[in-house]
Amino acid sequence: MIQYSYLIPLFPLLGFLINGLGWNKIPKSLAGVIGSTSILASFVISLAVFAEVLSPSFQGPFVQHYFDFIQSGTLYIPFAFQIDALSASFLLIITGIGFLIHVYSTSYMHDDEGMVKYFAYLNLFVFSMLLLVMGANYIIMFIGWEGVGLCSYLLIGFWFKNHAYTDAAKKAFVMNRIGDLGFLVGMLLVLYHFHTLSYQELFDTIKTGTDQTTIYTAIAICFFIGAMGKSAQIPLYTWLPDAMAGPTPVSALIHAATMVTAGIYMIARSSVLYNLAPIALDLITWIGLATALLAASIAIKQNDIKKVLAYSTVSQLGFMFVAIGMGAYTTAVFHVITHAFFKALLFLGSGSVIHAMSGEQDIRFMGGLGKKMPITKITFLIGCLAIAGIPGFAGFFSKDEILAHAYAHQPLLFVALLIGALMTAFYMFRLYFLTFTGTFRGTEHQAHHLHESPKAMTLPLMVLALFSIIGGYIGLPKVISEKHWLHDFLSTAVTEKELHELSHTTEWLLMGVSVGLVLVMIALAYKATQKAQFTAAKGFGKILENKWYVDELYQAVILTPLHHLGIFLQQIIEKSGIDAFVNNVGTSIHWLSARVRLLQSGIVGSYIFVMVLGIILLLSIGFLSTIL
């Protein structure tokens, strides 16, 4: 079956072409069926491919060349796909969660006039992401990389009549281009020094070649700049919360299983390179830590249900990058997988709430929704328990693994990450309690229309809730089992650094401390929400509510000076300089021709007079030249 893996991205591409070309003719219900069925077909084939990769008979990566993509002199870059444990894992996540989001969207977007185009964009998004993870070289990855950037622009600004939404789309597009430039420079460095962009050739060369730490570090940092844009790390993270402008299923797709995990995938794929670039790994560790803490602190004081989840995503991505910085690539991928389950669940759950609240997203005007929306309440609670790291739920296993590696790597790093985890528990349960418990704080009209969402929306919630519980058991800690299934499975595709081991006693102690403190934070969140006074924030709370004024800082330090520079270039350089010069050339020629034209008087006597003067002038010049 693995030889038919090209069908995995082909089905979403066909779905995009059908819905995209027939957007004004295809009925909305049929568009949902076409979009969802195409992703389901990809998921079924991905399952078959995963089963084949999982079998003992599978030997190494399967690389399938389809045609010569770029061939110039000694440079040869084929259009090829690579299937191994890493790509097979991501294929399941992308197509599986992508299918659930498509099914959810059939109900959520049912009344939207642009539903057919929406499903076309959604299919194109999934196609681009599949291309990204299946490519056998960095060029194919980069095509998918740019594709998801384009689709995010189209989906974030889907409701383009709202200028704030189109601004958010442009912001995402521009900030991603900044990171993409770093990725592109990294690829050029690889091409210049190693004369290939294929994974296997590059990594074989690195393994057997001479030590070139400086080059490895430069390439690794350039790649990380690309990852900073896609995976929203400081300073290129501010586009992600603004991406909430798009429809809620889009937020789930971008923030859970697809676009934001592209940076994690790219670095995990390049683990051989990063293991030889310790400076780059240290940089990733500290930027990831700073991002995790900054975003978590902002989420504490946000009141928009989707903004809380958006900053949560930025924070969780910070955790993943810390794991990568420590060389624990499998652990980062583990957290990608569990995060995909519970974050998709939380976003789709928030969409269910917004649907019931007639578009209201401010949690200060919610409360008591659990009575009217029991399925949404229970599934959302499971998502909160998972992201908070409560034992038995998916997030506990992956987050505990990151914390354990952090303690072994540097205890101070463990303390900082634990603070981030505690803030996560607080803001997520603050969100849960304000939304689903207590009394309803909305309008009478909203209260009258409160209802549970349709089955097309609740069924994906239940499936994701199930995986948010059982998804973590693919990576049990060593105090429970000596066999880490995910680590063993990915060992053929990802080259881990040698990590320090903890004693079982220490690991049990760390688990106990983290879980105990998380429970304390949940209790504090409950207490804080029972007597919540929604007054204007003051002091430090106001700083958090205004997101540390980072957007304002960017506006003052970057955007405003660039705006003034643009005005200067337009008014002084362009208009007063270049335009004035060009216009004056034309004016001067016009003035000169008007004067020259006076010589053409039409009087024969004047012409003879001028001719005589000319002859005299020529004779004078000749005479003077003989004398001199």
Side-chain angles (χ1 to χ4, degrees), residues 415-436:
V415 173
L417 283 178
L418 180 59
I419 293 171
L422 297 180
M423 287 193 285
T424 300
F426 180 84
Y427 66 67
M428 284 309 306
F429 275 90
R430 171 182 176 268
L431 172 63
Y432 172 78
F433 290 133
L434 286 177
T435 303
F436 293 101

Side-chain angles (χ1 to χ4, degrees), residues 40 50 59 209 290 396 533:
L40 177 61
F50 183 82
Q59 297 294 325
F396 165 75
Q533 299 293 325

Side-chain angles (χ1 to χ4, degrees), residues 262-277:
I264 306 294
Y265 172 82
M266 184 256 284
I267 296 180
R269 172 62 73 195
S270 309
S271 58
V272 173
L273 170 69
Y274 277 86
N275 286 338
L276 300 173

Side-chain angles (χ1 to χ4, degrees), residues 523-539:
L524 289 176
Y526 178 77
K527 184 177 180 181
T529 53
Q530 296 310 298
K531 298 180 180 179
Q533 299 293 325
F534 301 113
T535 56
K538 298 178 182 179

Side-chain angles (χ1 to χ4, degrees), residues 68-82:
D68 296 342
F69 188 49
I70 297 175
Q71 190 167 9
S72 176
T74 57
L75 175 62
Y76 172 65
I77 300 174
F79 191 95
F81 288 159
Q82 177 171 316

Side-chain angles (χ1 to χ4, degrees), residues 240-241 243-244 250-257 260 309-310 313 339 343 347:
L240 194 61
M244 297 299 96
V250 171
S251 303
L253 194 63
I254 290 176
H255 292 69
V260 296
L309 297 177
T313 298
H339 178 265
K343 187 54 63 69
F347 264 111

Side-chain angles (χ1 to χ4, degrees), residues 378-526:
I378 294 170
T379 54
F380 201 93
L381 176 60
I382 291 171
C384 290
L385 292 169
I387 194 173
I390 298 300
F393 294 85
F396 165 75
F397 297 101
S398 56
K399 190 174 289 186
D400 172 73
E401 197 169 304
I402 295 174
L403 291 174
H405 285 314
Y407 186 84
H409 187 78
Q410 187 175 338
L412 182 61
L413 189 60
F414 165 80
V415 173
L417 283 178
L418 180 59
I419 293 171
L422 297 180
M423 287 193 285
T424 300
F426 180 84
Y427 66 67
M428 284 309 306
F429 275 90
R430 171 182 176 268
L431 172 63
Y432 172 78
F433 290 133
L434 286 177
T435 303
F436 293 101
T437 64
T439 56
F440 185 67
R441 298 180 294 275
T443 64
E444 286 292 330
H445 175 75
Q446 290 171 332
H448 181 70
H449 288 86
L450 287 177
H451 61 281
E452 185 59 274
S453 298
K455 287 185 178 179
M457 294 171 66
T458 55
L459 281 175
L461 293 180
M462 290 186 278
V463 173
L464 288 168
L466 174 64
F467 281 100
S468 294
I469 297 172
I470 67 174
Y473 291 90
I474 60 175
L476 295 174
K478 287 194 174 182
V479 293
I480 298 176
S481 171
E482 286 296 323
K483 181 176 176 59
H484 192 296
W485 182 86
L486 185 64
H487 183 278
D488 295 340
F489 178 63
L490 293 178
S491 60
T492 57
V494 178
T495 307
E496 293 267 276
K497 283 190 72 175
E498 189 173 342
L499 302 170
H500 300 292
E501 297 290 340
L502 294 176
S503 67
H504 289 354
T505 304
T506 303
E507 195 162 353
W508 278 118
L509 182 61
L510 294 177
M511 280 187 197
V513 169
S514 63
V515 172
L517 291 176
V518 162
L519 293 174
V520 170
M521 297 307 291
I522 294 173
L524 289 176
Y526 178 77

